Amino acid sequence: MAKMTEQQRQEFLADPHVAILSVAGEAGRPPISVPTFYAYEPGGEITMFTGTQRRKPQRIEQIKNTGVVTVVVQREEMPPAYVTVEAELVEIGKPTHEQMLAIARRYMTEEEAEGYVRTELGDPDNIVVLFTFRPTRWLSSDVSHD
């Protein structure tokens, strides 16, 4: 399997894949891994949100406690390719409408994204959290480059 160049892996991560986010579990428990939407531009940081639908996921506290995560994205069709990024937590806070919309737009039509963000941020019982991560280590492979 061929490794991607730095530019190739950053461009691959910038594409709208659904990421698998993993964070260390509590003592004696396996890592917590969940699919998630995210945003990334080459050379930048990874942003994602969680805590929608009136749920406060356990991963929020685990990310705060560990300060590091692994993000994996893959090409769904053949030939296979993937990028794995180890990343450190840079910032955590409540997303603005625009921050959340920038992520949702990658996966939904403009109308769907706008409605989704308005609903999630407009619900006073939601605990929506925006995470910003800085990539620190990359692993990648793309067999179409062999």
Side-chain angles (χ1 to χ4, degrees):
M1 291 192 196
K3 289 183 180 181
M4 294 180 192
T5 66
E6 181 176 344
Q7 180 180 348
Q8 288 170 327
R9 67 184 182 213
Q10 288 191 24
E11 288 173 0
F12 189 88
L13 185 63
D15 290 340
H17 301 281
V18 173
I20 301 299
L21 171 72
S22 295
V23 61
E26 295 176 358
R29 302 276 313 183
I32 301 167
S33 298
V34 294
T36 189
F37 295 161
Y38 70 97
Y40 173 78
E41 292 186 21
E45 296 171 331
I46 302 167
T47 58
M48 59 185 65
F49 58 83
T50 193
T52 59
Q53 302 169 1
R54 295 184 174 193
R55 294 184 309 220
K56 183 178 181 186
Q58 178 186 4
R59 67 184 165 273
I60 292 175
E61 291 307 313
Q62 288 305 106
I63 292 169
K64 286 179 183 179
N65 291 339
T66 64
V68 294
V69 297
T70 299
V71 176
V72 180
V73 297
Q74 68 180 9
R75 181 171 35 229
E76 295 296 324
E77 65 279 345
M78 293 303 227
Y82 71 88
V83 169
T84 299
V85 180
E86 294 174 5
E88 63 186 10
L89 181 62
V90 175
E91 189 175 350
I92 183 171
K94 184 162 178 71
T96 66
H97 181 88
E98 280 305 313
Q99 288 172 318
M100 200 164 164
L101 190 59
I103 296 170
R105 275 186 185 128
R106 290 169 45 91
Y107 304 94
M108 305 173 195
T109 66
E110 184 68 27
E111 185 178 326
E112 291 168 334
E114 195 60 63
Y116 174 75
V117 171
R118 190 173 35 258
T119 299
E120 294 298 334
L121 291 179
D123 185 338
D125 293 327
N126 264 350
I127 306 167
V128 183
V129 176
L130 181 79
F131 291 107
T132 303
F133 300 101
R134 179 179 303 113
T136 56
R137 183 170 178 240
W138 297 73
L139 302 167
S140 63
S141 176
D142 185 350
V143 298
S144 68
H145 294 238
D146 282 348

